[in-house]
Amino acid sequence: MPRRQLLLRIQLMSNPAVLCGVRGAVSPLAGAVGFGEEDCHKITLALDEAITNVIRHAYGGKLERPIKIEFHKVNGKDAAKAGLEITLTDRGVKPNPDALKGLPPGELRSGGLGLHFMRQSMDTVVHTRVGSTNRLRMVKYIR
Amino acid sequence: MPRRQLLLRIQLMSNPAVLCGVRGAVSPLAGAVGFGEEDCHKITLALDEAITNVIRHAYGGKLERPIKIEFHKVNGKDAAKAGLEITLTDRGVKPNPDALKGLPPGELRSGGLGLHFMRQSMDTVVHTRVGSTNRLRMVKYIR
Amino acid sequence: MQISARHLDNTTIFDVTGDIDLANSPAVRKAFLTELREKKIPRVIVNLQGVKYIDSSGIASLVEGLKASRDLKARFILFGLSKSAREVLQLSRLLKLFEIYENEEQALSAESV
Amino acid sequence: MQISARHLDNTTIFDVTGDIDLANSPAVRKAFLTELREKKIPRVIVNLQGVKYIDSSGIASLVEGLKASRDLKARFILFGLSKSAREVLQLSRLLKLFEIYENEEQALSAESV
Ligand SMILES: Nc1ncnc2c1ncn2[C@@H]1O[C@H](COP(=O)(O)OP(=O)(O)O)[C@@H](O)[C@H]1O
Ligand SMILES: Nc1ncnc2c1ncn2[C@@H]1O[C@H](COP(=O)(O)OP(=O)(O)O)[C@@H](O)[C@H]1O
């Protein structure tokens, strides 16, 4: 098995109306990689939150800006245990590194849960800036 | 509203294992465009059959060949009634025009149902060859 | 996502079905706030039985409803949470801040806490 | 997709769950043909209750099972079709060629037609 196998690439515009389509794709893909139902839900949530943040923060709510998503099946440290790697790319503003630290959950605040959900749901969540694009890499391994 | 609005673009390799991901995406997208449950199922079936044919016939079952899919929301003749346009592009062999006519359904034959399902499910199903690529355009309008 | 309202004496019940995400959470929030702030309804009950998926923007709408109800000394009650909606509220560590019941009957008959 | 077999006297019941598509229809077909052709089981029953989606490659597997059963004078019976599986069989105009029942009890007790 190759160490990293492209499963699907999705390009969308920064329009919340198509979030449902991306969620619809990722859950069965995660299932095909071998994740159980609860993990499929977590991966779906993490990706939803990541796109939501790109739309709201990187693109300031503007529609029709490009977002690219790639799904790779990856090997875990134990090669028998596969994982799913999701990378998002956008051309929006650079995030504020302090904001990306996120806020503690559990407070009656309307917002500030997205990063927490992503970090709770995935094993790896890394934001990087490459030239004029933002890259987000999230990985989850089968336990 | 623009006459033709890109909703999503998906690229996959000719691997049956990711069919589930594409089906997962198209059904909620069709729902978001305004189709009811039965039509969402028909559109999902038509796309599944179209990809299956590309994998089996255009690429002769070979894995790791590229398939591109685009989803556009389109206006119907009556502008209030939207439609969903799906275009598939592959770099496989040119189909035999006679084979593309399809076979009559209702016979105990293991095969020959895909084109029939596509044509029963969608309002428009057109195969074209453009240079070295095959293009399939399918459209369904909300009734 | 669809949201519809049933009006009882001093109570509005919202029936929500479908996924709650960024595409529709603003509409959900607006429905809650109109009922609480403008119509001054003292008890708003949200039926989430038909909601199989909710993300942080949906949770934020529920939080806005809860906050408005506290400001106005009204009640804001949830019932019919799916497994995944419950999981997401759990992840947010807000589960205990909401008044949550299994079904409509319990939500209607529960005394104010 | 998962397929598992229960073996009764002269009968095998296959429980299939998940979507049947090109990724797994070859495995489904193989399961049917092994039971009919190699093991010469006289009655094969397919429980489709857990199958929410089937495409033409899945229908082709069912057709292969039916054809093999006819060759061997065995029975090939379906039950528990979901709405969408029924729709697809209807589209294929093959619905009437299959022996189809509502549930397992009826499938087991039905006389050969
Ligand atoms: N993709 C992104 N691009 C730019 N800024 C971001 C991005 N994701 C998160 N942020 C910043 O991090 C903050 C916290 O994000 P999050 O935890 O998802 O909560 P919320 O989006 O509700 O504020 C955001 O308010 C924003 O300032
Ligand atoms: N995308 C395609 N590329 C090349 N040939 C095709 C394609 N789609 C269909 N065909 C041809 O049309 C025939 C009928 O297709 P279909 O009705 O889907 O049934 P089946 O795929 O089971 O043969 C195929 O056997 C094949 O020869």
Side-chain angles (χ1 to χ4, degrees), chain D:
Chain D
M1 192 280 309
Q2 297 197 311
I3 182 164
S4 60
R6 287 179 281 145
H7 303 283
L8 285 63
D9 271 358
N10 287 327
T11 299
T12 295
I13 304 180
F14 282 112
D15 298 297
V16 193
T17 52
D19 295 1
I20 310 184
D21 68 8
L22 187 63
N24 50 52
S25 53
V28 174
R29 173 191 290 114
K30 185 151 179 278
F32 295 160
L33 296 185
T34 302
E35 226 59 16
L36 289 161
R37 290 217 183 115
E38 286 169 34
K39 299 201 199 156
K40 309 279 187 219
I41 306 290
R43 188 171 62 163
V44 168
I45 301 181
V46 186
N47 172 7
L48 291 168
Q49 251 156 354
V51 175
K52 299 283 167 272
Y53 180 85
I54 185 167
D55 69 4
S56 73
S57 78
I59 301 294
S61 304
L62 297 178
V63 167
E64 293 260 10
L66 181 57
K67 287 208 295 190
S69 74
R70 287 190 177 183
D71 290 350
L72 294 151
K73 310 255 179 290
R75 287 173 75 193
F76 186 78
I77 300 174
L78 314 179
F79 77 87
L81 272 72
S82 66
K83 188 164 163 283
S84 81
R86 193 173 284 273
E87 269 167 31
V88 174
L89 263 180
Q90 193 104 51
L91 274 184
S92 72
R93 311 231 178 111
L94 296 170
L95 201 50
K96 298 222 174 58
L97 297 181
F98 284 93
E99 218 186 312
I100 300 177
Y101 299 97
E102 282 303 304
N103 53 45
E104 183 162 330
E105 202 192 326
Q106 288 172 22
L108 277 168
S109 61
E111 296 295 319
S112 178
V113 282

Side-chain angles (χ1 to χ4, degrees), chain C residues 86-111:
Chain C
R86 192 173 285 274
E87 269 166 31
V88 174
L89 263 180
Q90 193 104 52
L91 275 184
S92 72
R93 314 234 176 106
L94 296 170
L95 201 51
K96 298 222 174 57
L97 297 180
F98 284 94
E99 217 186 311
I100 299 177
Y101 299 98
E102 282 303 303
N103 54 44
E104 182 162 332
E105 202 191 327
Q106 288 172 21
L108 277 169
S109 60
E111 296 295 317

Side-chain angles (χ1 to χ4, degrees), chain A residues 16-17 19 23 38 41 44-45 48-49 52 55-56 105-111 113-114 116-117 120-121, chain C residues 19 21-23 29 53-57 59-60 63-64 66-67 70 83-84 87-88 91-94 97:
Chain A
L19 269 172
R23 284 200 303 273
E38 198 173 323
H41 172 239
T44 304
L45 181 66
D48 173 312
E49 299 295 346
T52 295
I55 297 175
R56 289 183 55 216
E107 287 168 20
L108 260 202
R109 183 186 351 96
S110 63
L113 287 171
H116 174 69
F117 285 178
Q120 291 279 310
S121 303
Chain C
D19 295 2
D21 68 6
L22 187 63
R29 173 191 290 113
Y53 180 85
I54 185 166
D55 69 5
S56 73
S57 78
I59 301 294
V63 167
E64 293 260 11
L66 181 58
K67 287 208 297 190
R70 288 189 175 184
K83 187 163 163 284
S84 81
E87 269 166 31
V88 174
L91 275 184
S92 72
R93 314 234 176 106
L94 296 170
L97 297 180

Side-chain angles (χ1 to χ4, degrees), chain B residues 53-54 56-58 90 93 95-96 99-100 111-116 127:
Chain B
N53 278 349
V54 170
R56 291 184 54 216
H57 305 304
D90 68 72
V93 300
N96 174 334
L100 281 189
L113 287 170
L115 291 169
H116 174 71
H127 292 81

Side-chain angles (χ1 to χ4, degrees), chain A residues 49-59 90 92-96 98-103 109-119 127 134 136, chain C residues 56 60:
Chain A
E49 299 295 346
I51 303 172
T52 295
N53 278 350
V54 171
I55 297 175
R56 289 183 55 216
H57 304 303
Y59 288 135
D90 68 72
V93 299
K94 186 175 184 301
N96 173 335
D98 279 336
L100 280 189
K101 287 177 190 153
L103 295 167
R109 183 186 351 96
S110 63
L113 287 171
L115 290 168
H116 174 69
F117 285 178
M118 288 156 61
R119 290 177 182 140
H127 292 81
N134 299 307
L136 169 62
Chain C
S56 73

